[in-house]
Each structure stands twice: as C-alpha cells, then as structure tokens.
Amino acid sequence: MSDYRRYYVPGGTYFLAVVTDRRAPLFSRPHARRLLGSVMRRCHLRRPCEVMAIVLLPDHFHRLWALPPGDDAYSQRVRWIKREFTRTWLQLGGKEQPRTAPQIREGRRRFWQRRFWEHTIRDETDLEVHFDYIHYNPVKHKLVRRPSDWPWSSLHRWVRAGHYQPNWAGGNAVSASTSEFGE
C-alpha cells in the first residue's frame, strides 16, 4: 500500500475533486443536486469557509475552498459532506450501487470513491489556473460547448462580478497549463 499523505496548511486554499463510485452519474438527477447543495450549505454552517469556485458535474464536483486562519480541516469537511449526503439520500429512499461482500462486512457504502483529490494552492497563478479549470470542466467533459452553458457552476457569479466575460472560453480549447489537473 502506498504511503498516502495529505498536505495541510492552516488557513490554506485547496482545490478538491470528489467523485462518485465508478463515476455513477448520480448528480444528473435534480433531487440529488438539491440534496448535495443542502448538505454543502449545512457543512458551511458547521465549519465556515469561503467557497471561491465550484462546479457540479453528473459524476463529480470540484471546489476551491479558502479556509479560515488557523483551520486546516478540509478533509473533515469533505468526509462530513460525503457521509451526510449518503445518510440523507438513503433515508429519503435513494438507492446505491450494489455492494460486494467485503463492502457490506466493512460497512462501506457505494456512493463515493474512497478518497478525494486535493491540491494546496501555492500562489496567485496557481489559484487562477485552478479557478479556470473548475469553470472550464463541463467543456472538458464535453457536456457543453461553452462554460457559460453549464448551469451548475460558480462561473455565473463571477461573470456578474466582472471576473469573467460572459463568453469566456466560448469554443476555445483549454490551455495546456490546466490539462494536468485531471480527476
């Protein structure tokens, strides 16, 4: 087994990728999207942080979080979101993918990949690259032609704020500098 270690920086900014088990398109369902949004809002009430950027795709989501000074608990936030979504989904009658005997013995559910991908933002350039990557992600996955065509993205907030032009990246290929950040 690999020696897997996460990097924790109190007050840091983190890029996160959280993926459903076997990339099941769970979030193509409106009620799953609404539930995830509700769970994320409750998480922020429990453990505040700034959500700088977010995109929700059928089988995964990306977030860019800036944590409060002295706080490095991004893993606990992701764990709580995954656990609370799963618990509530099952309570509401939602189904999960079939579980194997070892998964049943270990009490594991079949909603999320076991881990998530995280990257600690190093500087302003790194922040901009990940900011753009998140907003371009629906185009990368061939879900839309233009980032502004995807409704489940913080891009629309940043267009209104003047950070992006309404036609940002419309029809253009993603730059090579962002292609290294896969799921």
Side-chain angles (χ1 to χ4, degrees), residues 8-14 46-50 65-77:
Y8 294 95
V9 175
T13 300
Y14 300 92
R46 294 169 47 87
R47 288 184 172 263
C49 66
E50 179 186 358
W65 273 344
L67 300 186
D71 186 345
D72 65 0
Y74 65 88
S75 287
Q76 289 88 337
R77 286 171 172 87

Side-chain angles (χ1 to χ4, degrees), residues 135-136 138-139 143-151 155-156 166-172:
H135 293 126
Y136 194 81
V139 177
L143 297 167
V144 291
R145 276 197 50 162
R146 300 175 310 167
S148 61
D149 292 338
W150 191 250
L155 173 74
H156 307 287
N167 62 350
W168 173 77
N172 296 332

Side-chain angles (χ1 to χ4, degrees), residues 16-28:
L16 305 162
V18 182
V19 183
T20 61
D21 187 63
R22 298 182 189 228
R23 289 201 171 261
L26 179 64
F27 302 115
S28 60

